[in-house]
Amino acid sequence: MLDALVRDGRLALAELADRTDTSPATVRRRLRRLTDAGVLGFRCDLAAPLAGHPVPVTLLAQVPARDMGAVHRTLAALPECRLVAGVTGPANVLATLWVRDIADIQRRETALCARLPSLTVTDRIVGLRTVKRMGHLLDGDGRRTGMEPIAPW
């Protein structure tokens, strides 16, 4: 079932049931179980340039362990935040934001550090062009042109 969803996450329950030789009720029950367990999550993705935020930037930062939860919640609540994760190493926070332009990176970082005083940004990685996202091949405008399936399990 997960393989079918990776190939096309927009499948209707009936079609997913056909592809997995089960009933729609079984598919619904299994999907609910996987989402309730936190194994599977649904989200809607879009073409960043068409959304007016064509520049992806990944920030690496340090934050004291005691503030990690609050920092993660604050970052995750930002509309431009696409990913926030706790990581190991000198920088223990990784956050990817979609911003309007290169100058917006400095503005966002300044605002974040003012709002989160214990956050220290240690590095910035600017994406020049995204050619693939979760197995979907993208054109210059961020639109899907094909599929190169991934197998995360």
Side-chain angles (χ1 to χ4, degrees):
M1 185 168 63
L2 293 176
D3 285 333
L5 286 171
V6 165
R7 292 182 188 282
D8 186 354
R10 298 173 290 184
L11 291 173
L13 288 177
E15 190 171 351
L16 189 54
D18 285 343
R19 291 189 186 188
T20 58
D21 294 324
T22 60
S23 70
T26 299
V27 168
R28 182 181 295 112
R29 187 175 56 254
R30 288 179 181 169
L31 287 174
R32 186 170 296 127
R33 193 176 315 138
L34 290 169
T35 56
D36 288 349
V39 173
L40 182 66
F42 294 97
R43 70 181 235 184
C44 178
D45 214 344
L46 54 110
L50 299 177
H53 293 87
V55 180
V57 61
T58 298
L59 302 176
L60 294 169
Q62 295 174 327
V63 66
R66 71 179 179 278
D67 297 336
M68 187 72 78
V71 166
H72 279 224
R73 283 189 297 280
T74 300
L75 291 172
L78 298 173
E80 65 272 21
C81 186
R82 302 296 295 168
L83 168 77
V84 62
V87 294
T88 59
N92 57 358
V93 174
L94 178 142
T96 298
L97 310 175
W98 284 359
V99 297
R100 295 188 188 284
D101 54 39
I102 296 294
D104 204 22
I105 296 170
Q106 183 65 42
R107 286 190 294 270
R108 295 306 304 147
E109 182 180 332
T110 300
L112 283 173
C113 290
R115 186 172 176 187
L116 301 164
S118 65
L119 181 76
T120 302
V121 175
T122 60
D123 203 1
R124 298 134 204 93
I125 304 163
V126 179
L128 300 177
R129 178 168 181 253
T130 303
V131 296
K132 187 163 98 171
R133 182 177 299 120
M134 291 301 297
H136 298 274
L137 303 174
L138 307 175
D139 67 12
D141 291 324
R143 292 187 171 120
R144 183 180 186 270
T145 61
M147 181 76 178
E148 186 66 41
I150 58 172
W153 38 88

